[in-house]
Amino acid sequence: MHKISIIIPCYNEEEALPYLYKELEKVTKVMSEQEFEFIFVNDGSKDKTLDVFRELRAKDERVRYVSFSRNFGKEAAIFAGLETATGDYVATIDADLQDPPMLLEEMYKTLQTEDYDCVATRREDRKGEPIIRSFFARKFYQLINNISDTKLVDGARDFRLMTRQMVDSILELREYNRFSKGIFGWVGYNTKWISYENVERVAGKTKWSFWGLFFYSLEGIIAFSTRPLAIASLFGILFFIISLVFIAYIVTKTLLWGDPVAGFPTLICGIFFIGGIQLLCLGILGQYLSRLYLEVKRRPIYIVKETEKSKIK
Ligand code: UDP
Ligand code: MG
């Protein structure tokens, strides 16, 4: 018999939770040989999510929960869940039933019978998603796979089942700027990918806006590639060469035809162009520097306000 921990990060999910819990119960019935533990993480929800946790806990001993003092983000919620989990196998799953919990049975079997340490999921398509969003998502995966050694799978979901060994490895990465999709890949191990059709969330609203996703993808690039830093040096070399050619041209021209005052527009264009590139490079540097700044402060990744054991009222 094995113990399986299921981690559910929740941010304003009071509507979706009852559906999810019902599905999870079904799974535990199908996999009745195994012991279960549900770890609900309340990521500073503004609705009654925590109350739902408390109710679930009151009627089901397998329910455990961690409640943050504010919203720390899904990455922090997953990390808190991984730290709290005690199972031999650990799963992470979204609260909105976009990932079918019934797959857990198949995933568990795979880990038992085949030589894998992790079964992860991806969606087949991006159906039901705005076209612009799909386009940028695809471009992001192309870009990061080009410039990073850690490969990311397009359409990868955060629904996965891992062995205790892999979880322990992930817990060793204590960085503050957490980009889970990269971290899961970075630790290595054998991962089997299974895919299913994209479904809409069962209730509630998505927490992601276009810009939210945009900055999240920047986070991923900065956390898993230092290649952008090289852009500054490349531009430097390029402009050095251009300036040499330009100097040769000016000198020749002046020697041959003299030097009438002209070229003011050229000058302005040049200043703007090079100034712009300098700012771009400074900006890239700043992005890395700011991550470094946050990292050296060694702030905790999350702050817990209440758990099922510390409940006072
Ligand atoms: N989530 C979270 N903290 C946040 C945002 C989201 O814990 O700050 C959780 C959310 O409750 C859900 C999961 O992360 O269980 C995925 O969120 P969502 O469904 O909004 O993302 P999408 O499926 O649209 O990518
Ligand atoms: Mg969702």
Side-chain angles (χ1 to χ4, degrees):
M1 193 176 92
H2 285 122
K3 182 168 179 182
I4 302 176
S5 307
I6 303 178
I7 299 168
I8 310 112
C10 302
Y11 179 55
N12 297 342
E13 297 286 5
E14 63 170 348
E15 289 166 52
L17 279 173
Y19 298 99
L20 176 79
Y21 181 72
K22 237 178 252 158
E23 284 298 311
L24 288 179
E25 268 198 312
K26 273 190 218 157
V27 176
T28 59
K29 286 210 181 92
V30 176
M31 301 173 69
S32 53
E33 313 244 297
Q34 317 312 326
E35 190 188 333
F36 279 89
E37 163 185 77
F38 308 132
I39 299 176
F40 291 93
V41 184
N42 173 26
D43 186 12
S45 300
K46 294 187 176 61
D47 64 359
K48 302 229 157 22
T49 300
L50 180 57
D51 291 333
V52 180
F53 288 4
R54 290 177 181 143
E55 279 161 31
L56 289 176
R57 167 68 186 187
K59 65 175 188 191
D60 188 345
E61 278 281 302
R62 296 171 301 179
V63 172
R64 299 180 61 198
Y65 67 86
V66 179
S67 184
F68 290 176
S69 59
R70 64 166 169 88
N71 180 259
F72 279 88
K74 183 181 180 183
E75 307 292 346
I78 290 180
F79 186 71
L82 291 176
E83 280 198 314
T84 313
T86 58
D88 308 304
Y89 292 89
V90 179
T92 52
I93 190 166
D94 283 1
D96 56 10
L97 283 183
Q98 278 187 305
D99 315 307
M102 268 303 164
L103 278 181
L104 276 172
E105 193 198 4
E106 184 192 327
M107 291 158 94
Y108 174 73
K109 268 201 196 118
T110 306
L111 290 190
Q112 288 296 298
T113 52
E114 292 171 50
D115 193 19
Y116 287 109
D117 309 283
C118 173
V119 181
T121 58
R122 56 185 302 231
R123 46 183 177 178
E124 264 155 22
D125 49 31
R126 294 184 165 273
K127 215 168 56 199
E129 198 185 61
I131 298 170
I132 302 206
R133 195 158 146 172
S134 306
F135 174 78
F136 279 104
R138 221 165 275 131
K139 285 284 162 250
F140 164 71
Y141 282 105
Q142 273 173 14
L143 177 69
I144 190 142
N145 282 326
N146 269 325
I147 63 175
S148 168
D149 298 331
T150 308
K151 295 291 166 251
L152 295 190
V153 175
D154 188 1
R157 308 237 359 126
D158 285 327
F159 179 32
R160 48 172 74 226
L161 182 69
M162 296 165 275
T163 59
R164 168 57 38 192
Q165 189 188 21
M166 182 164 170
V167 172
D168 287 340
S169 302
I170 291 167
L171 288 177
E172 274 178 49
L173 274 73
R174 298 211 49 98
E175 60 219 69
Y176 180 78
N177 297 291
R178 302 190 73 80
F179 185 73
S180 301
K181 286 182 168 64
I183 290 175
F184 287 135
W186 190 90
V187 294
Y189 295 104
N190 291 336
T191 300
K192 179 176 184 172
W193 289 93
I194 55 177
S195 56
Y196 47 83
E197 231 177 83
N198 192 23
V199 286
E200 305 273 323
R201 56 161 46 238
V202 62
K205 277 203 290 287
T206 176
K207 314 297 177 303
W208 291 103
S209 65
F210 178 80
W211 288 111
L213 276 176
F214 178 76
F215 287 112
Y216 180 65
S217 59
L218 276 191
E219 208 64 62
I221 291 174
I222 293 162
F224 282 91
S225 171
T226 49
R227 203 67 63 82
L229 283 174
I231 290 176
S233 326
L234 283 181
F235 275 130
I237 294 168
L238 185 70
F239 280 106
F240 178 64
I241 295 170
I242 291 178
S243 72
L244 286 185
V245 176
F246 207 57
I247 289 168
Y249 166 72
I250 299 281
V251 168
T252 326
K253 201 179 101 172
T254 316
L255 286 179
L256 291 181
W257 293 288
D259 187 23
V261 178
F264 180 67
T266 330
L267 197 66
I268 292 296
C269 290
I271 289 174
F272 269 73
F273 184 57
I274 298 182
I277 295 212
Q278 277 177 341
L279 284 180
L280 173 78
C281 295
L282 261 179
I284 294 174
L285 252 161
Q287 290 292 320
Y288 283 88
L289 197 68
S290 68
R291 299 310 183 287
L292 193 70
Y293 178 58
L294 287 173
E295 223 50 82
V296 291
K297 282 202 263 196
R298 304 229 124 246
R299 286 186 181 164
I301 295 168
Y302 59 88
I303 293 171
V304 175
K305 190 175 165 200
E306 179 183 321
T307 69
E308 82 279 355
K309 292 197 184 86
S310 76
K311 188 171 164 256
I312 321 148
K313 282 167 274 178

